[in-house]
Amino acid sequence: MTSGTVSRTVSGAQKLRGELRVPGDKSITHRALMFNALASGRSRVDGFLDAADTRSTIACLRALGAVIEEEPDGSVTVEGHGRSGMREPSDVLDCGNAGTTMRLLAGVVSGLKGLYVLTGDGSLRRRTMARIVQPLNALGARVNARAAGKFPPLVVEGSQIIGGQKLITDVASAQVKSALLLAGLAADGPTTVVQPAQTRDHTERLLTAMGADIEIQGNALTVTPPNRDLEAVDVSVPGDISTAAGWIIAATVHPDAELLLRGVGVNATRSGIIDVLRSMGADIEFSGEHIVGGEPVADLFVRSAVLHGVEIGSELIPRAIDELPLIALAGACADGETVICDAEELRVKESDRIATTSTVLRAFGAELEERRDGFRIVGGASLRPATVDSASDHRVAMLGAIAGLLVDGDTTVTGADAVSVSYPDFWSDLSRISGV
Ligand code: S3P
């Protein structure tokens, strides 16, 4: 079975050269738009990711009463009227393919007045929501979901969120943590969320910059509800390291490559891929490090290197979760064995990424064992061109295309339009750096 109708052919590249500025970070774009819509005042968000997922967030926020305008310079302005300015929408909120939109918005609306129905595309409607439904309800929210609380659509009846509680979550998920903190903002007392491992911290950073009181002690976060609305803040969104990851892997593995990636967000809760690749032998140089919108940013210069297999698991996994399919590709191109464990969360992404990554890499000739919580990859098999399907998953489509750049001959990616979820210009950037 193939997904979508658009196919793309990628030819193995003779060499990779050039300079790219990858699109804005998806996680930060969702948050900059959503939190400013909940705040009081006008803000400007520049460098934001303009892609299908973040368009879903914009549409939902407009339906909730926020005024969001696109400016001629490519930025957006958000006019928020505070929590009390949000209104019950007259229709369902369509989150498209975006898990972040659905889970974070569920946290926001659970403490508002009114009835909210959150739905999404076929992929999102197969993704588990029990992980937010149960803890939100433990806070006094009234959230229901299809299949006894498991799958979208979600139905949220706004209610008073009850403070003074400590919630221990059993999945290391920034979306779950963020949903609970956002609900906690509307509680009648402090809420503590304890996560099993550190996850991306963009929510804490931005809410704190907007005046929220969030105390962090290791993996425990306590939000004390403010007695006034969040303050609108301008945000410059850094480049998305998850998007840069494809080019970083391509330039590392390709034998004749030098790429400069400008303005990439290198927040330590996201940059696990750099640590993993360096431990495999990659040559990645940072320069021009600075802070943008409260987030660390750098230019990355990446050149060809010889990689060695590696074993990764535990706390590194949440810091590299969206990049693990590409790390598996690096493992297939390395000497020796690469083992990725503790990554069962990959099974509940836009596709079951343990299964879809295995299918794609095997089609290229990689030797790989699919495990419950990851992969064992025997590096060094000689890879050949393939025909692979995206399974309607943007990261799988890009995985197939990046692998295609690294082998001699023509690779076909079906369901190639899936990239529009996070990187609409992916195919033209691919042509630029491979000179075709
Ligand atoms: C995201 C968190 C991660 C990540 C997703 C974006 C976010 O998901 O995989 O692409 O913006 O908070 P989980 O929270 O489910 O780990």
Side-chain angles (χ1 to χ4, degrees):
M1 199 183 83
T2 59
S3 47
T5 48
V6 178
S7 290
R8 289 278 184 163
T9 302
V10 179
S11 304
Q14 296 293 311
K15 60 179 183 179
L16 299 175
R17 285 286 184 286
E19 189 178 314
L20 282 180
R21 187 170 284 278
V22 292
D25 188 277
K26 182 153 77 68
S27 293
I28 298 173
T29 300
H30 283 304
R31 286 160 173 82
L33 296 167
M34 211 180 276
F35 303 173
N36 272 314
L38 196 59
S40 169
R42 194 179 167 84
S43 59
R44 178 171 186 271
V45 181
D46 64 41
F48 81 108
L49 171 68
D50 185 4
D53 262 19
T54 45
R55 291 259 155 210
S56 296
T57 289
I58 291 177
C60 290
L61 294 172
R62 283 181 173 148
L64 289 167
V67 178
I68 302 181
E69 272 163 16
E70 295 174 42
E71 305 298 335
D73 65 359
S75 67
V76 288
T77 52
V78 183
E79 182 94 48
H81 299 286
R83 176 173 295 283
S84 59
M86 294 237 149
R87 59 157 196 251
E88 181 189 66
S90 58
D91 200 352
V92 300
L93 296 169
D94 185 355
C95 305
N97 191 246
T100 307
T101 308
M102 180 169 283
R103 293 189 176 121
L104 270 58
L105 268 186
V108 170
V109 300
S110 61
L112 299 177
K113 291 195 173 67
L115 182 81
Y116 306 84
V117 180
L118 283 72
T119 192
D121 69 6
S123 153
L124 186 54
R125 281 184 279 109
R126 285 189 295 274
R127 295 184 67 187
T128 177
M129 292 296 144
R131 55 183 50 198
I132 56 160
V133 171
Q134 285 164 7
L136 283 173
N137 287 343
L139 289 179
R142 286 207 291 264
V143 187
N144 216 332
R146 183 171 67 82
K150 282 203 199 74
F151 299 114
L154 292 178
V155 178
V156 184
E157 283 176 74
S159 60
Q160 177 58 54
I161 303 299
I162 302 159
Q165 304 198 65
K166 180 175 180 172
L167 293 175
I168 301 178
T169 64
D170 52 9
V171 278
S173 159
Q175 293 176 355
V176 172
K177 168 185 69 181
S178 303
L180 299 176
L181 291 176
L182 289 163
L185 280 177
D188 55 12
T191 302
T192 299
V193 181
V194 185
Q195 43 179 357
Q198 167 77 287
T199 57
R200 63 190 67 193
D201 64 359
H202 310 302
T203 294
E204 300 87 294
R205 283 177 191 250
L206 189 53
L207 287 179
T208 303
M210 298 173 90
D213 176 358
I214 301 180
E215 193 191 310
I216 304 172
Q217 281 186 316
N219 289 335
L221 298 98
T222 301
V223 58
T224 302
N227 43 22
R228 56 196 163 85
D229 281 321
L230 295 170
E231 295 150 29
V233 294
D234 292 345
V235 180
S236 287
V237 180
D240 196 326
I241 191 165
S242 300
T243 299
W247 309 128
I248 297 173
I249 299 275
T252 296
V253 171
H254 194 285
D256 184 3
E258 281 187 1
L259 287 185
L260 178 62
L261 304 167
R262 290 217 181 263
V264 181
V266 289
N267 177 322
T269 63
R270 295 285 300 283
S271 57
I273 183 169
I274 307 286
D275 301 340
V276 175
L277 286 177
R278 281 185 172 152
S279 74
M280 296 175 83
D283 184 350
I284 305 168
E285 251 174 60
F286 279 37
S287 63
E289 290 169 71
H290 62 292
I291 301 289
V292 169
E295 295 274 346
V297 170
D299 295 337
L300 309 188
F301 185 65
V302 192
R303 51 167 91 83
S304 317
V306 174
L307 296 183
H308 314 288
V310 74
E311 286 195 20
I312 60 167
S314 95
E315 62 80 39
L316 220 153
I317 298 300
R319 297 178 50 231
I321 189 73
D322 293 336
E323 295 71 67
L324 293 175
L326 287 161
I327 292 172
L329 168 61
C333 301
D335 297 336
E337 199 171 284
T338 291
V339 179
I340 301 176
C341 56
D342 303 325
E344 52 275 76
E345 272 295 297
L346 284 180
R347 296 229 179 250
V348 293
K349 296 295 177 188
E350 286 85 328
S351 67
D352 172 345
R353 286 188 182 151
I354 295 184
T356 48
T357 298
S358 300
T359 304
V360 166
L361 295 185
R362 281 202 190 106
F364 282 96
E367 195 182 331
L368 166 148
E369 181 192 320
E370 177 180 334
R371 293 182 168 174
R372 178 191 58 81
D373 66 343
F375 317 86
R376 186 178 74 92
I377 305 138
V378 182
S382 98
L383 302 188
R384 51 173 186 265
T387 294
V388 293
D389 183 54
S390 71
S392 303
D393 181 336
H394 55 132
R395 304 226 184 268
V396 177
M398 290 188 263
L399 172 71
I402 296 292
L405 276 182
L406 302 173
V407 294
D408 285 337
D410 288 348
T411 286
T412 302
V413 179
T414 58
D417 43 337
V419 303
S420 62
V421 154
S422 63
Y423 196 171
D425 292 335
F426 174 76
W427 301 106
S428 54
D429 282 352
L430 182 142
S431 300
R432 267 182 57 203
I433 60 147
S434 60
V436 291

